[in-house]
């Protein structure tokens, strides 16, 4: 049994990525599948971008990320966003660049550092104009991206099924590691080890949202304790 140092998962990005690679069996076979399929995935990018932003504009809470740049805000949208809106074009260009980057060399640590930086950028860090998107919307968007890519790849009958399956598996691993690198900036796990930007971003996020830390909650006993005593009597 291999020992994993828990603290390193929260204080070292390289250790975190190494653990995820081992847990998900992300190896040279995945790198080969991604390299083989990169041109095909790049051809899909315009369609993926269109589908993702059509989905995001279906809901006012996700549309706030474009105009107000904060999904926590309750402020009403001041304009009707469409494909020609400058705010939307900016985000579309980013997603286009992001998906292109996904097709680059995943064997380099710089690739995973880029994915981690994307996570930080969505909690108000590392941007001249802060952007705050809550994790629920991020994970749902990643799911849409994964579904579109998976369906498109599996439907590509020209490729042998073994190739298609390998591409889907490899892309899924990358997307789920990206999901973790979003969650890393949003969840409280490992806070005893981190006192820097991630912890501050989470604290600010909770304070702005009006959340009350668990230890300060008015509920000091199990909410079902009365039921338990009633059963015992």
């Amino acid at each position: 049994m291999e020992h994993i140092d828990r603290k390193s998962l929260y204080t070292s990005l390289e250790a975190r990525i190494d653990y995820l690679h081992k847990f998900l069996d992300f190896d040279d076979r995945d790198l080969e599948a991604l390299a083989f399929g990169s041109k095909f995935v790049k051809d899909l990018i315009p369609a993926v971008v269109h589908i993702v932003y059509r989905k995001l504009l279906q809901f006012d809470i996700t549309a706030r990320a474009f105009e107000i740049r904060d999904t926590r805000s309750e402020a009403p949208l001041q304009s009707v966003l469409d494909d020609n809106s400058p705010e939307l074009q900016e985000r579309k260009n980013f997603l286009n660049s992001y998906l292109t980057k996904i097709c680059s060399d995943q064997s380099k640590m710089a690739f995973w550092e880029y994915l981690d930086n994307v996570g930080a950028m969505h909690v108000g860090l590392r941007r001249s104009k802060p952007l705050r998107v809550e994790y629920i919307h991020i994970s749902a968007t990643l799911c849409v991206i994964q579904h579109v890519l998976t369906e498109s790849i599996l439907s590509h009958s020209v490729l042998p099924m073994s190739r298609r399956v390998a591409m889907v598996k490899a892309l899924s691993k990358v997307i789920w590691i990206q999901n973790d690198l979003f969650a890393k900036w949003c969840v409280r796990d490992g806070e005893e080890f981190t006192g820097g930007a991630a912890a501050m971003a989470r604290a600010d996020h909770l304070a702005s949202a009006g959340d009350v830390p668990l230890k300060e909650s008015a509920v000091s006993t199990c909410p079902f304790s009365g039921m338990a005593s009633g059963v015992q009597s």
Side-chain angles (χ1 to χ4, degrees):
M1 180 183 294
E2 180 178 353
H3 170 69
I4 301 296
D5 179 61
R6 179 170 175 260
K7 181 178 180 180
S8 70
L9 298 179
Y10 300 101
T11 57
S12 168
L13 178 62
E14 189 168 358
R16 190 181 187 104
I17 295 300
D18 181 63
Y19 166 70
L20 290 171
H21 282 185
K22 290 176 179 176
F23 195 98
L24 297 175
D25 294 322
F26 185 85
D27 54 26
D28 289 343
R29 292 169 297 179
D30 296 301
L31 293 174
E32 191 277 332
L34 290 166
F36 175 83
S38 62
K39 183 181 184 303
F40 176 70
V41 173
K42 286 179 181 178
D43 290 341
L44 292 173
I45 288 176
V48 174
V49 171
H50 175 74
I51 291 170
V52 167
Y53 281 93
R54 184 178 61 186
K55 175 64 69 175
L56 293 174
L57 288 179
Q58 289 180 10
F59 309 96
D60 59 350
I61 194 167
T62 44
R64 288 192 182 101
F66 310 127
E67 183 179 288
I68 305 171
R69 303 182 67 81
D70 194 333
T71 60
R72 303 168 303 171
S73 173
E74 296 291 340
L77 295 173
Q78 299 300 313
S79 59
V80 178
L81 297 170
D82 57 36
D83 284 344
N84 297 317
S85 302
E87 301 89 348
L88 201 62
Q89 285 301 318
E90 177 189 351
R91 301 308 302 161
K92 279 189 170 185
N93 290 338
F94 174 82
L95 182 57
N96 194 303
S97 299
Y98 169 79
L99 293 173
T100 301
K101 183 70 174 180
I102 289 291
C103 299
S104 64
D105 189 356
Q106 301 88 2
S107 68
K108 306 296 185 183
M109 189 61 200
F111 174 83
W112 306 103
E113 290 171 348
Y114 170 80
L115 297 194
D116 185 52
N117 191 51
V118 171
M121 289 165 59
H122 284 75
V123 294
L125 301 173
R126 303 178 188 175
R127 293 182 65 95
S128 58
K129 295 190 296 182
L131 172 69
R132 295 182 180 275
V133 181
E134 293 161 296
Y135 179 64
I136 182 174
H137 315 301
I138 291 170
S139 59
T141 301
L142 285 176
C143 183
V144 171
I145 292 173
Q146 183 174 6
H147 283 178
V148 174
L149 290 175
T150 297
E151 182 177 6
S152 299
I153 292 169
L154 292 179
S155 301
H156 200 283
S157 57
V158 175
L159 296 175
M161 180 57 73
S162 59
R163 280 290 192 182
R164 285 178 268 170
V165 170
M167 288 167 59
V168 166
K169 288 175 63 177
L171 272 172
S172 296
K173 292 176 185 181
V174 171
I175 290 172
W176 276 95
I177 292 174
Q178 173 68 92
N179 187 51
D180 173 74
L181 295 177
F182 275 119
K184 166 179 175 280
W185 293 94
C186 300
V187 302
R188 298 180 178 183
D189 296 359
E191 279 189 334
E192 65 268 38
F193 303 126
T194 59
M200 292 173 62
R202 287 193 293 269
D204 178 64
H205 182 88
L206 291 170
S208 300
D211 288 357
V212 179
L214 186 60
K215 64 181 180 181
E216 296 177 11
S217 172
V219 180
S220 57
T221 59
C222 173
F224 302 109
S225 57
M227 293 174 60
S229 60
V231 171
Q232 291 173 355
S233 62

mmCIF file of all heavy atoms in Angstrom, residues 60-101:
data_model
loop_
_atom_site.group_PDB
_atom_site.id
_atom_site.type_symbol
_atom_site.label_atom_id
_atom_site.label_comp_id
_atom_site.label_asym_id
_atom_site.label_seq_id
_atom_site.Cartn_x
_atom_site.Cartn_y
_atom_site.Cartn_z
ATOM 1 N N ASP A 60 -30.672 32.994 -15.626
ATOM 2 C CA ASP A 60 -30.176 34.313 -15.238
ATOM 3 C C ASP A 60 -28.979 34.218 -14.298
ATOM 4 O O ASP A 60 -28.069 35.044 -14.346
ATOM 5 C CB ASP A 60 -31.293 35.155 -14.606
ATOM 6 C CG ASP A 60 -31.905 34.516 -13.359
ATOM 7 O OD1 ASP A 60 -31.609 33.338 -13.068
ATOM 8 O OD2 ASP A 60 -32.699 35.207 -12.684
ATOM 9 N N ILE A 61 -28.952 33.172 -13.463
ATOM 10 C CA ILE A 61 -27.871 33.082 -12.475
ATOM 11 C C ILE A 61 -26.520 32.840 -13.142
ATOM 12 O O ILE A 61 -25.490 33.362 -12.694
ATOM 13 C CB ILE A 61 -28.183 31.988 -11.420
ATOM 14 C CG1 ILE A 61 -27.240 32.134 -10.228
ATOM 15 C CG2 ILE A 61 -28.114 30.590 -12.025
ATOM 16 C CD1 ILE A 61 -27.660 31.330 -9.018
ATOM 17 N N THR A 62 -26.501 32.070 -14.230
ATOM 18 C CA THR A 62 -25.236 31.856 -14.931
ATOM 19 C C THR A 62 -24.933 33.015 -15.880
ATOM 20 O O THR A 62 -23.765 33.327 -16.122
ATOM 21 C CB THR A 62 -25.254 30.523 -15.705
ATOM 22 O OG1 THR A 62 -26.510 30.370 -16.384
ATOM 23 C CG2 THR A 62 -25.069 29.351 -14.761
ATOM 24 N N ALA A 63 -25.966 33.669 -16.387
ATOM 25 C CA ALA A 63 -25.742 34.834 -17.250
ATOM 26 C C ALA A 63 -25.107 35.985 -16.472
ATOM 27 O O ALA A 63 -24.413 36.824 -17.054
ATOM 28 C CB ALA A 63 -27.062 35.289 -17.868
ATOM 29 N N ARG A 64 -25.317 36.021 -15.160
ATOM 30 C CA ARG A 64 -24.708 37.080 -14.343
ATOM 31 C C ARG A 64 -23.184 37.032 -14.403
ATOM 32 O O ARG A 64 -22.523 38.042 -14.183
ATOM 33 C CB ARG A 64 -25.168 36.958 -12.888
ATOM 34 C CG ARG A 64 -26.612 37.365 -12.652
ATOM 35 C CD ARG A 64 -26.907 37.508 -11.161
ATOM 36 N NE ARG A 64 -28.297 37.851 -10.938
ATOM 37 C CZ ARG A 64 -29.230 36.979 -10.563
ATOM 38 N NH1 ARG A 64 -28.901 35.715 -10.365
ATOM 39 N NH2 ARG A 64 -30.480 37.364 -10.381
ATOM 40 N N ALA A 65 -22.640 35.875 -14.675
ATOM 41 C CA ALA A 65 -21.181 35.759 -14.753
ATOM 42 C C ALA A 65 -20.615 36.610 -15.879
ATOM 43 O O ALA A 65 -19.454 37.028 -15.820
ATOM 44 C CB ALA A 65 -20.782 34.296 -14.955
ATOM 45 N N PHE A 66 -21.418 36.896 -16.893
ATOM 46 C CA PHE A 66 -20.938 37.668 -18.034
ATOM 47 C C PHE A 66 -21.078 39.173 -17.810
ATOM 48 O O PHE A 66 -20.161 39.928 -18.086
ATOM 49 C CB PHE A 66 -21.704 37.265 -19.297
ATOM 50 C CG PHE A 66 -21.741 35.786 -19.520
ATOM 51 C CD1 PHE A 66 -22.940 35.126 -19.708
ATOM 52 C CD2 PHE A 66 -20.574 35.039 -19.511
ATOM 53 C CE1 PHE A 66 -22.979 33.759 -19.907
ATOM 54 C CE2 PHE A 66 -20.597 33.671 -19.702
ATOM 55 C CZ PHE A 66 -21.811 33.028 -19.900
ATOM 56 N N GLU A 67 -22.219 39.598 -17.310
ATOM 57 C CA GLU A 67 -22.464 41.033 -17.150
ATOM 58 C C GLU A 67 -22.000 41.548 -15.795
ATOM 59 O O GLU A 67 -21.298 42.554 -15.701
ATOM 60 C CB GLU A 67 -23.955 41.333 -17.328
ATOM 61 C CG GLU A 67 -24.290 42.815 -17.248
ATOM 62 C CD GLU A 67 -25.770 43.070 -17.454
ATOM 63 O OE1 GLU A 67 -26.238 42.928 -18.603
ATOM 64 O OE2 GLU A 67 -26.452 43.396 -16.474
ATOM 65 N N ILE A 68 -22.382 40.847 -14.727
ATOM 66 C CA ILE A 68 -22.067 41.293 -13.370
ATOM 67 C C ILE A 68 -20.775 40.660 -12.868
ATOM 68 O O ILE A 68 -20.153 41.145 -11.934
ATOM 69 C CB ILE A 68 -23.248 40.967 -12.427
ATOM 70 C CG1 ILE A 68 -24.532 41.593 -12.985
ATOM 71 C CG2 ILE A 68 -22.992 41.465 -11.016
ATOM 72 C CD1 ILE A 68 -25.793 41.170 -12.268
ATOM 73 N N ARG A 69 -20.374 39.553 -13.491
ATOM 74 C CA ARG A 69 -19.140 38.832 -13.173
ATOM 75 C C ARG A 69 -19.168 38.213 -11.780
ATOM 76 O O ARG A 69 -18.143 38.015 -11.147
ATOM 77 C CB ARG A 69 -17.909 39.738 -13.331
ATOM 78 C CG ARG A 69 -17.761 40.342 -14.718
ATOM 79 C CD ARG A 69 -16.509 41.176 -14.839
ATOM 80 N NE ARG A 69 -15.305 40.373 -14.757
ATOM 81 C CZ ARG A 69 -14.782 39.682 -15.771
ATOM 82 N NH1 ARG A 69 -15.364 39.701 -16.953
ATOM 83 N NH2 ARG A 69 -13.687 38.977 -15.611
ATOM 84 N N ASP A 70 -20.375 37.890 -11.306
ATOM 85 C CA ASP A 70 -20.503 37.275 -9.984
ATOM 86 C C ASP A 70 -21.852 36.567 -9.906
ATOM 87 O O ASP A 70 -22.900 37.220 -9.903
ATOM 88 C CB ASP A 70 -20.407 38.340 -8.895
ATOM 89 C CG ASP A 70 -20.186 37.742 -7.512
ATOM 90 O OD1 ASP A 70 -20.599 36.585 -7.295
ATOM 91 O OD2 ASP A 70 -19.608 38.431 -6.652
ATOM 92 N N THR A 71 -21.834 35.232 -9.842
ATOM 93 C CA THR A 71 -23.100 34.492 -9.802
ATOM 94 C C THR A 71 -23.781 34.591 -8.444
ATOM 95 O O THR A 71 -24.935 34.187 -8.303
ATOM 96 C CB THR A 71 -22.879 33.002 -10.135
ATOM 97 O OG1 THR A 71 -21.974 32.425 -9.182
ATOM 98 C CG2 THR A 71 -22.323 32.834 -11.543
ATOM 99 N N ARG A 72 -23.095 35.140 -7.436
ATOM 100 C CA ARG A 72 -23.705 35.301 -6.117
ATOM 101 C C ARG A 72 -24.607 36.524 -6.056
ATOM 102 O O ARG A 72 -25.427 36.658 -5.156
ATOM 103 C CB ARG A 72 -22.621 35.430 -5.045
ATOM 104 C CG ARG A 72 -21.641 34.268 -4.982
ATOM 105 C CD ARG A 72 -20.451 34.623 -4.107
ATOM 106 N NE ARG A 72 -19.785 35.825 -4.602
ATOM 107 C CZ ARG A 72 -18.819 36.458 -3.943
ATOM 108 N NH1 ARG A 72 -18.405 36.002 -2.778
ATOM 109 N NH2 ARG A 72 -18.260 37.543 -4.452
ATOM 110 N N SER A 73 -24.446 37.417 -7.011
ATOM 111 C CA SER A 73 -25.195 38.673 -7.001
ATOM 112 C C SER A 73 -26.675 38.437 -7.291
ATOM 113 O O SER A 73 -27.037 37.580 -8.100
ATOM 114 C CB SER A 73 -24.615 39.629 -8.045
ATOM 115 O OG SER A 73 -25.420 40.785 -8.166
ATOM 116 N N GLU A 74 -27.517 39.204 -6.621
ATOM 117 C CA GLU A 74 -28.957 39.156 -6.872
ATOM 118 C C GLU A 74 -29.401 40.301 -7.784
ATOM 119 O O GLU A 74 -30.591 40.475 -8.041
ATOM 120 C CB GLU A 74 -29.720 39.238 -5.544
ATOM 121 C CG GLU A 74 -29.490 38.057 -4.609
ATOM 122 C CD GLU A 74 -30.093 36.766 -5.131
ATOM 123 O OE1 GLU A 74 -30.990 36.838 -5.996
ATOM 124 O OE2 GLU A 74 -29.664 35.685 -4.690
ATOM 125 N N ALA A 75 -28.442 41.084 -8.248
ATOM 126 C CA ALA A 75 -28.779 42.231 -9.093
ATOM 127 C C ALA A 75 -29.368 41.757 -10.419
ATOM 128 O O ALA A 75 -28.893 40.782 -11.003
ATOM 129 C CB ALA A 75 -27.538 43.076 -9.351
ATOM 130 N N PRO A 76 -30.409 42.439 -10.900
ATOM 131 C CA PRO A 76 -31.002 42.040 -12.184
ATOM 132 C C PRO A 76 -30.069 42.374 -13.341
ATOM 133 O O PRO A 76 -29.277 43.316 -13.274
ATOM 134 C CB PRO A 76 -32.281 42.884 -12.250
ATOM 135 C CG PRO A 76 -31.979 44.088 -11.409
ATOM 136 C CD PRO A 76 -31.096 43.592 -10.293
ATOM 137 N N LEU A 77 -30.162 41.603 -14.396
ATOM 138 C CA LEU A 77 -29.368 41.873 -15.589
ATOM 139 C C LEU A 77 -29.867 43.151 -16.248
ATOM 140 O O LEU A 77 -31.068 43.391 -16.349
ATOM 141 C CB LEU A 77 -29.468 40.700 -16.560
ATOM 142 C CG LEU A 77 -28.878 39.371 -16.068
ATOM 143 C CD1 LEU A 77 -29.203 38.258 -17.043
ATOM 144 C CD2 LEU A 77 -27.379 39.489 -15.872
ATOM 145 N N GLN A 78 -28.936 43.968 -16.699
ATOM 146 C CA GLN A 78 -29.295 45.255 -17.280
ATOM 147 C C GLN A 78 -29.521 45.189 -18.783
ATOM 148 O O GLN A 78 -30.045 46.123 -19.378
ATOM 149 C CB GLN A 78 -28.190 46.281 -16.974
ATOM 150 C CG GLN A 78 -27.976 46.522 -15.490
ATOM 151 C CD GLN A 78 -29.228 47.057 -14.810
ATOM 152 O OE1 GLN A 78 -29.869 47.984 -15.306
ATOM 153 N NE2 GLN A 78 -29.585 46.454 -13.680
ATOM 154 N N SER A 79 -29.101 44.103 -19.400
ATOM 155 C CA SER A 79 -29.246 43.996 -20.847
ATOM 156 C C SER A 79 -29.502 42.549 -21.236
ATOM 157 O O SER A 79 -29.281 41.626 -20.446
ATOM 158 C CB SER A 79 -27.985 44.512 -21.550
ATOM 159 O OG SER A 79 -26.851 43.767 -21.136
ATOM 160 N N VAL A 80 -29.978 42.373 -22.452
ATOM 161 C CA VAL A 80 -30.203 41.035 -22.987
ATOM 162 C C VAL A 80 -28.932 40.597 -23.707
ATOM 163 O O VAL A 80 -28.519 41.213 -24.690
ATOM 164 C CB VAL A 80 -31.401 41.017 -23.959
ATOM 165 C CG1 VAL A 80 -31.577 39.619 -24.539
ATOM 166 C CG2 VAL A 80 -32.667 41.473 -23.251
ATOM 167 N N LEU A 81 -28.317 39.556 -23.199
ATOM 168 C CA LEU A 81 -27.068 39.084 -23.780
ATOM 169 C C LEU A 81 -27.338 38.196 -24.986
ATOM 170 O O LEU A 81 -28.263 37.385 -24.979
ATOM 171 C CB LEU A 81 -26.269 38.307 -22.735
ATOM 172 C CG LEU A 81 -25.814 39.100 -21.505
ATOM 173 C CD1 LEU A 81 -25.251 38.161 -20.451
ATOM 174 C CD2 LEU A 81 -24.771 40.134 -21.886
ATOM 175 N N ASP A 82 -26.537 38.370 -26.021
ATOM 176 C CA ASP A 82 -26.623 37.493 -27.183
ATOM 177 C C ASP A 82 -25.214 37.221 -27.692
ATOM 178 O O ASP A 82 -24.224 37.638 -27.084
ATOM 179 C CB ASP A 82 -27.500 38.106 -28.282
ATOM 180 C CG ASP A 82 -27.010 39.484 -28.720
ATOM 181 O OD1 ASP A 82 -25.775 39.697 -28.762
ATOM 182 O OD2 ASP A 82 -27.853 40.350 -29.028
ATOM 183 N N ASP A 83 -25.116 36.526 -28.819
ATOM 184 C CA ASP A 83 -23.807 36.133 -29.338
ATOM 185 C C ASP A 83 -22.904 37.318 -29.657
ATOM 186 O O ASP A 83 -21.678 37.175 -29.718
ATOM 187 C CB ASP A 83 -23.975 35.282 -30.599
ATOM 188 C CG ASP A 83 -24.399 33.861 -30.268
ATOM 189 O OD1 ASP A 83 -24.258 33.472 -29.092
ATOM 190 O OD2 ASP A 83 -24.870 33.147 -31.170
ATOM 191 N N ASN A 84 -23.496 38.478 -29.889
ATOM 192 C CA ASN A 84 -22.705 39.651 -30.255
ATOM 193 C C ASN A 84 -22.334 40.524 -29.058
ATOM 194 O O ASN A 84 -21.652 41.537 -29.221
ATOM 195 C CB ASN A 84 -23.477 40.498 -31.276
ATOM 196 C CG ASN A 84 -23.719 39.744 -32.574
ATOM 197 O OD1 ASN A 84 -22.825 39.070 -33.071
ATOM 198 N ND2 ASN A 84 -24.929 39.845 -33.113
ATOM 199 N N SER A 85 -22.779 40.146 -27.869
ATOM 200 C CA SER A 85 -22.462 40.932 -26.681
ATOM 201 C C SER A 85 -20.967 40.861 -26.390
ATOM 202 O O SER A 85 -20.382 39.771 -26.407
ATOM 203 C CB SER A 85 -23.240 40.401 -25.474
ATOM 204 O OG SER A 85 -24.629 40.433 -25.713
ATOM 205 N N PRO A 86 -20.328 42.009 -26.126
ATOM 206 C CA PRO A 86 -18.883 41.998 -25.834
ATOM 207 C C PRO A 86 -18.529 41.086 -24.666
ATOM 208 O O PRO A 86 -17.506 40.400 -24.689
ATOM 209 C CB PRO A 86 -18.590 43.467 -25.501
ATOM 210 C CG PRO A 86 -19.678 44.243 -26.149
ATOM 211 C CD PRO A 86 -20.893 43.370 -26.111
ATOM 212 N N GLU A 87 -19.396 41.091 -23.627
ATOM 213 C CA GLU A 87 -19.127 40.254 -22.458
ATOM 214 C C GLU A 87 -19.106 38.774 -22.837
ATOM 215 O O GLU A 87 -18.278 38.001 -22.354
ATOM 216 C CB GLU A 87 -20.187 40.486 -21.376
ATOM 217 C CG GLU A 87 -20.284 41.915 -20.876
ATOM 218 C CD GLU A 87 -21.270 42.750 -21.691
ATOM 219 O OE1 GLU A 87 -21.702 42.278 -22.769
ATOM 220 O OE2 GLU A 87 -21.597 43.857 -21.252
ATOM 221 N N LEU A 88 -20.030 38.407 -23.715
ATOM 222 C CA LEU A 88 -20.118 37.007 -24.121
ATOM 223 C C LEU A 88 -18.962 36.632 -25.039
ATOM 224 O O LEU A 88 -18.405 35.533 -24.936
ATOM 225 C CB LEU A 88 -21.455 36.747 -24.817
ATOM 226 C CG LEU A 88 -21.901 35.281 -24.858
ATOM 227 C CD1 LEU A 88 -22.110 34.755 -23.449
ATOM 228 C CD2 LEU A 88 -23.177 35.132 -25.670
ATOM 229 N N GLN A 89 -18.591 37.531 -25.919
ATOM 230 C CA GLN A 89 -17.480 37.258 -26.819
ATOM 231 C C GLN A 89 -16.182 37.038 -26.046
ATOM 232 O O GLN A 89 -15.375 36.167 -26.388
ATOM 233 C CB GLN A 89 -17.311 38.413 -27.815
ATOM 234 C CG GLN A 89 -18.352 38.438 -28.920
ATOM 235 C CD GLN A 89 -18.341 37.164 -29.746
ATOM 236 O OE1 GLN A 89 -17.287 36.635 -30.093
ATOM 237 N NE2 GLN A 89 -19.528 36.649 -30.056
ATOM 238 N N GLU A 90 -15.997 37.829 -24.993
ATOM 239 C CA GLU A 90 -14.798 37.675 -24.159
ATOM 240 C C GLU A 90 -14.734 36.280 -23.555
ATOM 241 O O GLU A 90 -13.691 35.617 -23.577
ATOM 242 C CB GLU A 90 -14.799 38.722 -23.047
ATOM 243 C CG GLU A 90 -13.626 38.580 -22.080
ATOM 244 C CD GLU A 90 -13.754 39.482 -20.862
ATOM 245 O OE1 GLU A 90 -14.660 40.342 -20.843
ATOM 246 O OE2 GLU A 90 -12.956 39.310 -19.923
ATOM 247 N N ARG A 91 -15.860 35.817 -23.008
ATOM 248 C CA ARG A 91 -15.882 34.506 -22.376
ATOM 249 C C ARG A 91 -15.784 33.385 -23.414
ATOM 250 O O ARG A 91 -15.171 32.343 -23.165
ATOM 251 C CB ARG A 91 -17.156 34.344 -21.541
ATOM 252 C CG ARG A 91 -17.328 35.381 -20.444
ATOM 253 C CD ARG A 91 -16.108 35.476 -19.557
ATOM 254 N NE ARG A 91 -15.780 34.204 -18.929
ATOM 255 C CZ ARG A 91 -14.600 33.905 -18.410
ATOM 256 N NH1 ARG A 91 -13.610 34.770 -18.469
ATOM 257 N NH2 ARG A 91 -14.397 32.738 -17.841
ATOM 258 N N LYS A 92 -16.387 33.585 -24.576
ATOM 259 C CA LYS A 92 -16.281 32.579 -25.641
ATOM 260 C C LYS A 92 -14.832 32.427 -26.095
ATOM 261 O O LYS A 92 -14.359 31.307 -26.338
ATOM 262 C CB LYS A 92 -17.168 32.965 -26.828
ATOM 263 C CG LYS A 92 -18.636 32.618 -26.658
ATOM 264 C CD LYS A 92 -19.382 32.840 -27.967
ATOM 265 C CE LYS A 92 -20.782 32.273 -27.912
ATOM 266 N NZ LYS A 92 -21.493 32.366 -29.202
ATOM 267 N N ASN A 93 -14.148 33.546 -26.216
ATOM 268 C CA ASN A 93 -12.740 33.495 -26.613
ATOM 269 C C ASN A 93 -11.914 32.744 -25.576
ATOM 270 O O ASN A 93 -10.999 31.986 -25.916
ATOM 271 C CB ASN A 93 -12.189 34.909 -26.798
ATOM 272 C CG ASN A 93 -12.759 35.600 -28.021
ATOM 273 O OD1 ASN A 93 -13.237 34.941 -28.946
ATOM 274 N ND2 ASN A 93 -12.725 36.920 -28.030
ATOM 275 N N PHE A 94 -12.260 32.966 -24.302
ATOM 276 C CA PHE A 94 -11.528 32.260 -23.246
ATOM 277 C C PHE A 94 -11.772 30.758 -23.330
ATOM 278 O O PHE A 94 -10.829 29.957 -23.250
ATOM 279 C CB PHE A 94 -11.939 32.769 -21.863
ATOM 280 C CG PHE A 94 -11.313 31.980 -20.746
ATOM 281 C CD1 PHE A 94 -10.020 32.255 -20.328
ATOM 282 C CD2 PHE A 94 -11.995 30.935 -20.133
ATOM 283 C CE1 PHE A 94 -9.419 31.508 -19.314
ATOM 284 C CE2 PHE A 94 -11.406 30.187 -19.125
ATOM 285 C CZ PHE A 94 -10.117 30.477 -18.713
ATOM 286 N N LEU A 95 -13.039 30.356 -23.484
ATOM 287 C CA LEU A 95 -13.343 28.925 -23.553
ATOM 288 C C LEU A 95 -12.685 28.292 -24.776
ATOM 289 O O LEU A 95 -12.195 27.167 -24.715
ATOM 290 C CB LEU A 95 -14.854 28.701 -23.588
ATOM 291 C CG LEU A 95 -15.305 27.233 -23.620
ATOM 292 C CD1 LEU A 95 -14.742 26.458 -22.429
ATOM 293 C CD2 LEU A 95 -16.830 27.139 -23.642
ATOM 294 N N ASN A 96 -12.658 29.028 -25.875
ATOM 295 C CA ASN A 96 -11.985 28.530 -27.076
ATOM 296 C C ASN A 96 -10.506 28.274 -26.795
ATOM 297 O O ASN A 96 -9.962 27.213 -27.138
ATOM 298 C CB ASN A 96 -12.150 29.549 -28.205
ATOM 299 C CG ASN A 96 -11.783 28.980 -29.561
ATOM 300 O OD1 ASN A 96 -10.671 28.511 -29.765
ATOM 301 N ND2 ASN A 96 -12.715 29.029 -30.496
ATOM 302 N N SER A 97 -9.858 29.243 -26.150
ATOM 303 C CA SER A 97 -8.436 29.090 -25.813
ATOM 304 C C SER A 97 -8.228 27.961 -24.811
ATOM 305 O O SER A 97 -7.261 27.194 -24.906
ATOM 306 C CB SER A 97 -7.895 30.402 -25.234
ATOM 307 O OG SER A 97 -7.999 31.446 -26.169
ATOM 308 N N TYR A 98 -9.152 27.870 -23.857
ATOM 309 C CA TYR A 98 -9.055 26.829 -22.829
ATOM 310 C C TYR A 98 -9.145 25.434 -23.447
ATOM 311 O O TYR A 98 -8.329 24.555 -23.151
ATOM 312 C CB TYR A 98 -10.165 27.025 -21.800
ATOM 313 C CG TYR A 98 -10.336 25.865 -20.849
ATOM 314 C CD1 TYR A 98 -9.468 25.702 -19.775
ATOM 315 C CD2 TYR A 98 -11.358 24.928 -21.029
ATOM 316 C CE1 TYR A 98 -9.613 24.629 -18.904
ATOM 317 C CE2 TYR A 98 -11.507 23.861 -20.167
ATOM 318 C CZ TYR A 98 -10.638 23.717 -19.106
ATOM 319 O OH TYR A 98 -10.776 22.656 -18.248
ATOM 320 N N LEU A 99 -10.118 25.225 -24.311
ATOM 321 C CA LEU A 99 -10.286 23.914 -24.938
ATOM 322 C C LEU A 99 -9.116 23.585 -25.861
ATOM 323 O O LEU A 99 -8.736 22.418 -26.004
ATOM 324 C CB LEU A 99 -11.608 23.863 -25.700
ATOM 325 C CG LEU A 99 -12.872 23.917 -24.823
ATOM 326 C CD1 LEU A 99 -14.119 24.034 -25.687
ATOM 327 C CD2 LEU A 99 -12.957 22.686 -23.923
ATOM 328 N N THR A 100 -8.544 24.606 -26.475
ATOM 329 C CA THR A 100 -7.342 24.391 -27.288
ATOM 330 C C THR A 100 -6.183 23.951 -26.400
ATOM 331 O O THR A 100 -5.413 23.047 -26.752
ATOM 332 C CB THR A 100 -6.966 25.673 -28.046
ATOM 333 O OG1 THR A 100 -8.059 26.067 -28.889
ATOM 334 C CG2 THR A 100 -5.721 25.460 -28.904
ATOM 335 N N LYS A 101 -6.079 24.581 -25.236
ATOM 336 C CA LYS A 101 -5.023 24.226 -24.283
ATOM 337 C C LYS A 101 -5.192 22.790 -23.790
ATOM 338 O O LYS A 101 -4.194 22.083 -23.563
ATOM 339 C CB LYS A 101 -5.064 25.192 -23.095
ATOM 340 C CG LYS A 101 -3.963 24.971 -22.068
ATOM 341 C CD LYS A 101 -2.600 25.363 -22.604
ATOM 342 C CE LYS A 101 -1.535 25.272 -21.528
ATOM 343 N NZ LYS A 101 -0.197 25.656 -22.039
#
